[in-house]
Amino acid sequence: RMAGHDAGNQHQFTGLAKHFNSYTIVGRRNCVLATYASLAAIFLFFKLKPKKKPAVTEK
Amino acid sequence: MTLSLFDQFLSPVVCWIPLVAIAIILPWILFPSPTTRWLNNRSLTSQNWFLSQATSQIFLPINPPGHKWALLLSSLLIFLTTMNTAGLLPYTFTPTSQLSINMGLAGALWMGVVILGMRTQPTHSLGHLLPEGAPALLTPILVIIETISLFIRPIALGVRLTANLTAGHLLIQLTSTATLAMLTIMPVTAIFTGILLFLLALLEAAVALIQAYVFVLLLSLYLQENV
């Protein structure tokens, strides 16, 4: 169907697509949560990465 | 000259008493509550009829659990309509031309609707942040865009009302100043400017009613998504 609301019943998803798809409401929710978790992980990675100290040169 | 154009938007104060409170309370005395009599007077009957028609139209697409919001949204409609139309009278102050009032209404009501959706049906509320049938590769960017659009909503709601009313009042003041200034110098041009002013006043009356309706309608749409 081109137009109209897709109930998501006619799709037979297997594997990862069963939980992460853009057709069922649960799949869409999981995609949204996964996106937020990824963004949080990227933010935390750069926040907690140890900063490189410049080498001390003997003057 | 430039400074005086915005004087109409200053919150009026007389002897350090802010008059904005009186301006906001104004709708309360114009819309009396129904009496205990079997039949009310004509003005009350017509007011209640208009209000019930508007409320039933707004709440037609909303599920029954959302009908609890009928009193809040109908009183908001009355409030905004009265503020906007009363502000068209000369030398009056329009509370809804202030960003503070509009953002206070928009932000609080939008947040209430979103929190309601997250509490009662979190799966649906979160699921709506990804459009149905979206390609897998576009999912992250679409989620980010939808989240940004969700948070832009209260800002757009408040600024839309403020900008429409402020721009309209400024145009009326500019056109009326021009008409008066040209009346002795170029009377024919002043007449045409006067006709323009009349048409502008009609437009602003329509904008006042429409913007109040749009504010309430958009809130009802956000409620529809979350209830």
Side-chain angles (χ1 to χ4, degrees), chain B residues 43-60:
Chain B
S43 65
L44 201 56
T45 308
S46 62
Q47 277 178 5
N48 290 340
W49 181 81
F50 276 116
L51 188 57
S52 63
Q53 289 293 311
T55 312
S56 60
Q57 280 299 311
I58 289 170
F59 280 86
L60 262 176

Side-chain angles (χ1 to χ4, degrees), chain A residues 3 6-8 13-14 16-18 26-28 31-32 34 37 39 42-43 48-49 54-55 57:
Chain A
D6 189 351
F13 294 113
T14 53
L16 207 61
K18 193 176 174 187
V26 175
R28 284 155 72 188
C31 286
V32 169
L39 288 170
I42 293 166
F43 173 75
L48 299 173
K49 196 171 77 165
T57 52

Side-chain angles (χ1 to χ4, degrees), chain B residues 24-42:
Chain B
I24 288 173
I25 290 168
L26 181 71
W28 184 43
I29 57 172
L30 295 175
F31 295 90
S33 53
T35 61
T36 52
R37 292 172 183 266
W38 179 68
L39 200 63
N40 292 306
N41 59 39
R42 288 181 188 85

